[in-house]
Amino acid sequence: MQASIKPGLSIAKSTAAVTLLASAGFASSTQAAIVDLTVTVHNLAPVNSVVVAPLSVGFGQGVFDGFDIGGVANAAIVKAAELGNGNLWRDAFTAADSGAVVGVVGAAPLAAGLSATRTFRIDTALNNYFSFVAMVVPSNDFFIGNDAAKAFKLFDGAGNLQVSSIGQKARDIWDAGSEEFNTANAAFIVGANALARDAQQSVVARNFAEFAAYNGLSTAYGYTFNSGLSGGSDVYRIDFSAQAVPEPESYALMLAGLAAMVTVVRRRRPVA
């Protein structure tokens, strides 16, 4: 639609005012370095299948490497994978990247068909890489997460969101290799003691086949577990949407631009 100009307002002066507004960051959200990034997570697993713990997330410079396939899981991953607690992982993230933004999406384990959302304020020039971790239950030490610090670069150099979604299939689920498989010690199973553990002393590897061993057992959410998973089954999705946040000085520029436009209109208004 073509922009209109009020009678008496010269094209040159109106263009100057619009330019002032644009310089304040209100003409194009892609110019803003600061954004409100909304993260929405979805459990896509079959009904009565796996549940995912609240997702720990980190936005940084791509320097924090939480784990490596074939490597021994560190204490942060062990706690997240065995107990669903990502506080050590978030602490390790900020220790490695002091300017990072970390947090949790969701307040409770996410059952099949449910979603959770949280918004984070991100400086896209500083924190353009994304990392995550969350336990998948019922299990002894299964989780989802990225094994490379720079696996997901959310923003390009201009601050534009370039990743809108990250999907996780059953074949993407990790086994921390820290605790032996034992239904009596598994999290989320009724009657089990998740605090008890038999050390496995193995390494991080892909694994989802063991979920079938929990079939027929009662879960903490009251349903009888049925894995229903194959390697290509969708399990989880993380969606992103960004809204530009003008910097404080941009508001001043915007007000100055509006004032300039009002002044020009008043000066050009015919005298009765």
Side-chain angles (χ1 to χ4, degrees), residues 38-182:
T38 299
V39 182
T40 304
V41 298
H42 313 265
N43 185 332
L44 306 178
V47 175
N48 296 335
S49 186
V50 296
V51 168
V52 182
L55 188 74
S56 287
V57 298
F59 307 89
Q61 301 179 68
V63 298
F64 174 70
D65 187 7
F67 65 95
D68 294 298
I69 186 171
V72 176
N74 57 45
I77 289 296
V78 169
K79 189 168 185 178
E82 292 187 9
L83 298 174
N85 188 332
N87 63 349
L88 285 183
W89 183 90
R90 297 190 300 274
D91 289 346
F93 200 115
T94 53
D97 188 345
S98 60
V101 174
V102 301
V104 182
V105 182
L110 200 65
L114 299 183
S115 302
T117 297
R118 183 172 174 183
T119 298
F120 301 85
R121 184 151 292 184
I122 305 297
D123 182 342
T124 62
L126 180 64
N127 298 323
N128 50 8
Y129 288 94
F130 173 72
S131 292
F132 64 98
V133 69
M135 186 180 189
V136 183
V137 294
S139 76
N140 293 90
D141 58 350
F142 284 11
F143 70 101
I144 55 172
N146 57 297
D147 71 334
K150 294 186 176 181
F152 301 107
K153 186 177 183 182
L154 295 187
F155 302 96
D156 63 18
N160 301 306
L161 182 66
Q162 59 182 8
V163 176
S164 61
S165 184
I166 297 172
Q168 297 285 281
K169 295 184 179 296
R171 60 172 169 259
D172 297 320
I173 294 174
W174 300 99
D175 180 345
S178 57
E179 182 179 335
E180 292 282 359
F181 172 81
N182 185 344

Side-chain angles (χ1 to χ4, degrees), residues 21-29 31 246 250-251 253-254:
L21 287 173
S23 69
F26 288 87
S28 174
S29 62
Q31 296 176 2
S250 297
Y251 289 105
L253 287 172
M254 179 191 70

Side-chain angles (χ1 to χ4, degrees), residues 3-19 264 268:
S4 62
I5 300 175
K6 290 187 177 181
L9 181 61
S10 71
I11 292 178
K13 289 181 178 178
S14 64
T15 300
V18 170
T19 300
V264 170
R268 300 288 296 181

